[in-house]
């Protein structure tokens, strides 16, 4: 018969020496594993004399209970000390200042597109889009700008092919043609978008933005054009009274054509729209040329209307006091942080109209 008390003290001292999870696992297997000390002792019971059996079994059972208990205690201690260690290391200092997080800003150009879209949609205009890469027909010919017409030079076009057929659109006016070709009158649309010209200085960038407007119906006249532009300028600049001047001009796709100036003055170094006796040009417009209507199979005897084109970047510069256009496209995050709009706190009532 084994020396039971020797075995018992061996087991207990092994358990006592456990000092980490790894040694815990290996000692546990050594004692209770398939070939563990206690497991083996249990197997022996059957081979013992009847007289020894009972006594041995009860000692063995209490040793098993004791060893199990001690092992469990060890495990609990590990858990506890790990928790304590974590608490010590990961102490949160609630007096530290909160972490700031950065939110994106809405670019002034996107903001202005949202605003003008909202303003025109209130009076029944819907939004159309066209491609940035256009062909010569939509950008010039269909708009009554024949080959060798000076407007083609004026526009400083970026051609994409030697045949001069593919180009970057020089204005948003081709959207007029695309819109009228794909459905039937009446038309009442605006088309905001990117436009391109070979030009770069403080107020010109090779890529810029325009907003096109087109309204064609029976009996539309210049009075409607004026009414629409007054409404727009008042809403956009958020002024009650505004002075507008129509100056005769020339565009191949309108007849008559006009350029529109708005009255302003400089007060405390800032521009004030609607007051004063200075004039600022903001857009080109006119009554759509009968030839343009013929080009898109609309009968000019039955239908007529007006069109206009506004520089969006210029609108943004005027309304938000930005004086260098080039900064719009330099992707300087500090500039955007300063001039951009908080998506949750846009200045006027145009919130929620996202593109
Ligand atoms: N497309 C012209 C430009 O880029 C602007 C313009 C003038 C558009 C008169 C129009 C218009 O629709 O009627 O200079």
């Amino acid at each position: 018969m084994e020396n039971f008390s020797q075995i018992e003290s061996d087991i207990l001292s092994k358990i006592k020496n456990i000092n980490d999870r790894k040694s815990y696992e290996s000692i546990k297997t050594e004692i209770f594993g398939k070939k563990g000390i206690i497991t083996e002792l249990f197997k022996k019971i059957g081979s013992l004399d009847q007289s020894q059996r009972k006594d041995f079994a009860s000692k063995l059972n209490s040793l098993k209970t004791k060893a199990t208990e001690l092992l469990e205690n060890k495990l609990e201690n590990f858990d506890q000390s790990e928790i304590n260690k974590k608490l010590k290391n990961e102490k949160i200092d609630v007096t530290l200042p909160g972490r700031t997080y950065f939110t994106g800003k809405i670019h002034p150009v996107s903001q202005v597109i949202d605003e003008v879209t909202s303003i025109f949609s209130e009076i029944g205009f819907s939004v159309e889009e066209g491609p940035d890469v256009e062909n010569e027909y939509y950008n010039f010919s269909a708009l009554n700008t024949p080959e060798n017409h000076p407007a083609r030079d004026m526009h400083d076009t970026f051609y994409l092919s030697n045949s001069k057929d593919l180009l970057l659109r020089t204005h948003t006016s081709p959207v007029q043609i695309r819109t009228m070709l794909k459905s039937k009158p009446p038309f009442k649309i605006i088309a905001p978008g990117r436009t391109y010209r070979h030009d770069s200085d403080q107020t010109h960038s090779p890529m810029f933005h325009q907003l096109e407007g087109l309204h064609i119906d029976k009996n539309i006249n210049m009075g409607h054009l004026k009414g629409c532009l007054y409404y727009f300028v008042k809403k956009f600049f958020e002024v009650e009274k505004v002075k507008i001047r129509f100056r005769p001009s020339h565009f191949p796709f309108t007849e008559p054509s006009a350029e529109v100036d708005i009255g302003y003055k400089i007060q405390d170094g800032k521009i004030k729209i609607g007051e004063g006796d200075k004039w600022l040009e903001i857009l080109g417009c006119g009554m759509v040329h009968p030839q343009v209507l013929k080009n898109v199979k609309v009968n000019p005897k039955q239908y007529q209307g007006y069109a206009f084109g506004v520089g969006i970047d210029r609108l943004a510069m005027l309304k938000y006091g930005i004086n260098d256009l080039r900064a719009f496209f330099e992707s300087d995050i500090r500039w955007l942080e300063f001039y951009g709009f908080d998506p949750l706190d846009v200045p006027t009532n145009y919130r929620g109209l996202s593109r």
Side-chain angles (χ1 to χ4, degrees), residues 140 148-157 159 164:
F140 291 123
N148 302 326
H149 192 286
R152 296 198 185 206
D153 295 336
M154 244 161 61
H155 278 192
D156 288 320
T157 313
Y159 286 98
K164 291 202 164 179

Side-chain angles (χ1 to χ4, degrees), residues 320-339:
Y320 296 113
I322 307 169
N323 46 32
D324 192 342
L325 173 67
R326 286 166 299 192
F328 276 59
F329 311 117
E330 277 169 2
S331 303
D332 184 337
I333 205 81
R334 294 162 305 178
W335 181 88
L336 191 58
E337 190 60 35
F338 185 80
Y339 285 108

Side-chain angles (χ1 to χ4, degrees), residues 155 170-173 176 197 208 210 212-213 251 253-254 257-258 283-287 306-310:
H155 278 192
T170 58
H171 49 178
T172 42
S173 304
Q176 292 187 26
R197 284 180 208 177
F208 57 106
Q210 282 193 342
E212 194 74 13
F251 299 104
F253 32 90
T254 43
S257 304
L283 59 87
C285 62
M287 299 306 291
Y306 59 84
F308 57 88
V310 200

Side-chain angles (χ1 to χ4, degrees), residues 146-205:
E147 204 72 45
N148 302 326
H149 192 286
R152 296 198 185 206
D153 295 336
M154 244 161 61
H155 278 192
D156 288 320
T157 313
F158 286 114
Y159 286 98
L160 298 178
S161 61
N162 285 339
S163 66
K164 291 202 164 179
D165 187 32
L166 280 187
L167 46 84
L168 293 178
R169 65 177 179 190
T170 58
H171 49 178
T172 42
S173 304
V175 185
Q176 292 187 26
I177 303 299
R178 289 185 175 273
T179 305
M180 291 192 284
L181 279 176
K182 77 175 181 199
S183 64
K184 297 254 167 288
F187 304 105
K188 199 173 181 188
I189 60 115
I190 51 163
R194 284 181 291 270
T195 44
Y196 305 84
R197 284 180 208 177
H198 198 285
D199 215 351
S200 183
D201 60 35
Q202 192 173 340
T203 52
H204 294 90
S205 139

Side-chain angles (χ1 to χ4, degrees), residues 38-154:
I38 289 189
T39 321
E40 290 297 324
L41 288 175
F42 270 107
K43 286 182 195 161
K44 275 202 175 133
I45 294 178
S47 61
L48 292 178
D49 284 353
Q50 196 69 29
S51 57
Q52 292 176 314
R53 211 182 271 172
K54 205 173 161 200
D55 182 41
F56 183 81
S58 92
K59 275 185 184 159
L60 190 54
N61 268 325
S62 59
L63 174 58
K64 183 188 164 189
T65 315
K66 200 166 176 185
T68 310
E69 238 170 53
L70 289 174
L71 278 171
E72 271 168 12
N73 284 348
K74 278 279 177 191
L75 202 58
E76 261 172 36
N77 283 343
F78 289 145
D79 287 346
Q80 200 54 49
S81 69
E82 272 163 22
I83 290 171
N84 286 342
K85 210 163 135 194
K86 262 195 169 170
L87 282 176
K88 203 170 153 215
N89 292 342
E90 296 172 15
K91 209 160 41 174
I92 296 169
D93 183 352
V94 291
T95 65
L96 282 175
R99 273 187 210 151
T100 49
Y101 58 91
F102 294 97
T103 49
K105 285 281 176 80
I106 295 175
H107 193 285
V109 170
S110 307
Q111 168 69 18
V112 167
I113 292 178
D114 281 355
E115 292 179 19
V116 293
T117 306
S118 163
I119 291 170
F120 281 105
S121 65
E122 275 173 27
I123 52 168
F125 284 83
S126 56
V127 177
E128 285 289 338
E129 284 185 327
D132 290 18
V133 175
E134 264 299 359
N135 61 42
E136 189 277 333
Y137 179 73
Y138 290 104
N139 196 80
F140 291 123
S141 304
L143 287 160
N144 198 33
T145 318
E147 204 72 45
N148 302 326
H149 192 286
R152 296 198 185 206
D153 295 336
M154 244 161 61

